[in-house]
Amino acid sequence: QVQLEETGGGSVQAGGSLKLSCVASGYIADYYCMAWFRQTPGKEREVVATINSDDITAYANPVKGRFTISHDSATNTLYLQMNSLAPEDTAMYYCASMPWVKSCGDVEYNYWGQGTQVTVSS
């Protein structure tokens, strides 16, 4: 079992920055994919960014150039640095983990955090 806990959400004005953190505990596989997703009411959850244990990253088009995903293997912490935030980035952000996979495309994640709210005002 893997437990994930996100922190770092909050309210900012457009153009501001936030950094989300997600600490993983429990079973840590030798290789894995981790991701940040976001969801707004009435919409499907969408992937924001992914990273694998080789630090290969991928980003959804709306956040490319503004968000950076990273991972500290020493502390088992996943990060999402969000810059140039816009009102359309307002959502509940979730981290997710899937052990024993190397390619993060089309991964069905088994483990999810409880989410952290990000609100961007114009």
Side-chain angles (χ1 to χ4, degrees):
Q1 291 288 328
V2 178
Q3 293 80 44
L4 303 172
E5 183 173 2
E6 305 100 332
T7 57
S11 297
V12 295
Q13 289 192 325
S17 298
L18 280 174
K19 187 173 185 176
L20 306 182
S21 300
C22 172
V23 177
S25 60
Y27 178 74
I28 306 298
D30 290 341
Y31 54 93
Y32 48 80
C33 283
M34 296 192 77
W36 287 99
F37 286 76
R38 65 186 181 186
Q39 188 172 25
T40 54
K43 292 188 176 181
E44 290 190 2
R45 188 157 44 189
E46 62 177 3
V47 64
V48 174
T50 64
I51 188 168
N52 72 2
S53 43
D54 292 328
D55 285 335
I56 295 173
T57 61
Y59 296 90
N61 285 334
V63 307
K64 281 182 180 177
R66 299 188 300 123
F67 291 11
T68 302
I69 188 171
S70 62
H71 181 257
D72 183 344
S73 58
T75 60
N76 295 319
T77 304
L78 179 72
Y79 297 102
L80 185 68
Q81 176 68 49
M82 305 185 293
N83 298 328
S84 301
L85 283 161
E88 51 266 35
D89 295 315
T90 295
M92 184 72 79
Y93 283 73
Y94 299 90
C95 70
S97 173
M98 183 64 186
W100 302 115
V101 293
K102 287 190 174 183
S103 176
C104 296
D106 296 326
V107 171
E108 291 193 15
Y109 291 86
N110 275 0
Y111 302 102
W112 295 83
Q114 81 289 348
T116 186
Q117 177 68 37
V118 172
T119 302
V120 185
S121 58
S122 58

